[in-house]
Amino acid sequence: MLASTVPVSVTNRETVLPENVFIYSRTDLKGRITEANHAFAEISNYSAEEMIGKPHNLVRHPDMPREAFADLWRNIQAGRPWQGVVKNRRKDGGFYWVIANASPVRENGKVVGYQSIRFKPTREQIRGAEEAYRRIREGDRSLMIVDGNAVPRRASWVEKATEWTTQLRLGLILALLAAGTGTAAL
């Protein structure tokens, strides 16, 4: 993975991906763009020539939590596809939302790069992603990104074991066993 090249200037100007239009790009194993369709160039406000050879994170928006891209890379480097709602940054500082479908590209059984096909998300999908991503960026540890989705983080077994309700249940079970009634009830 290459270091981020996203300029810090952003605006609140949204460009909406038209219906029935899809964005396509392909990268090498390090995430450098090797192919980009016309729709990608148009929506991102970069020319295809400007994008070729550059890291795909050229369009990464600072509102996207690092956890989303860590999840994406974890999946595609393991040979699995990934799908998630992504906010991308345009060259002019504006933004656009997509549902990104990323997957490994294999030739002769070997992964040689990655491809992504993106299309327009619904407003409901965008609202859900905005809220989850905001919470994650602000340090909310109750959410995590798994397979492109923001999901509740499960408490570890240590946390569950120390919850007072768990301790109470264990105490009652131990008391019944100590009293000799635990085996009779079985």
Side-chain angles (χ1 to χ4, degrees):
M1 290 181 284
L2 300 171
S4 177
T5 59
V6 176
V8 292
S9 64
V10 293
T11 70
N12 284 327
R13 189 173 61 234
E14 180 177 9
T15 300
V16 177
L17 186 64
E19 296 290 337
N20 303 316
V21 169
F22 74 92
I23 295 170
Y24 173 80
S25 60
R26 184 171 167 170
T27 70
D28 62 16
L29 292 172
K30 292 188 177 186
R32 289 181 297 247
I33 299 169
T34 59
E35 292 180 46
N37 73 350
H38 177 74
F40 186 21
E42 190 171 312
I43 196 80
S44 70
N45 203 32
Y46 286 95
S47 70
E49 294 77 26
E50 285 177 288
M51 292 189 286
I52 302 298
K54 300 287 191 308
H56 205 287
N57 62 15
L58 176 75
V59 294
R60 184 175 295 178
H61 196 283
D63 286 352
M64 285 298 298
R66 291 178 183 261
E67 294 85 347
F69 295 105
D71 181 57
L72 176 143
W73 278 102
R74 191 170 34 255
N75 275 274
I76 62 175
Q77 287 179 330
R80 297 185 305 265
W82 182 91
Q83 182 181 68
V85 179
V86 176
K87 182 178 187 179
N88 282 330
R89 184 192 165 281
R90 291 170 39 94
K91 181 180 178 181
D92 61 11
F95 66 93
Y96 59 99
W97 286 94
V98 295
I99 295 178
N101 296 277
S103 61
V105 175
R106 290 179 177 84
E107 292 178 5
N108 301 317
K110 182 179 176 185
V111 175
V112 296
Y114 306 105
Q115 65 183 357
S116 179
I117 298 173
R118 279 103 57 211
F119 54 93
K120 182 180 179 179
T122 66
R123 280 289 148 196
E124 183 178 319
Q125 289 170 313
I126 292 170
R127 279 191 296 278
E130 277 182 313
E131 174 63 16
Y133 295 164
R134 179 193 58 77
R135 287 175 54 191
I136 291 169
R137 282 191 325 272
E138 291 175 357
D140 184 339
R141 302 281 299 148
S142 70
L143 289 177
M144 60 190 287
I145 308 284
V146 177
D147 299 330
N149 299 297
V151 298
R153 185 180 302 274
R154 293 184 187 163
S156 73
W157 70 270
V158 172
E159 291 169 324
K160 287 185 182 225
T162 57
E163 292 176 0
W164 72 269
T165 55
T166 303
Q167 290 178 0
L168 179 61
R169 285 186 199 125
L170 287 174
L172 289 172
I173 291 168
L174 291 173
L176 288 172
L177 289 173
T181 59
T183 55
L186 295 176

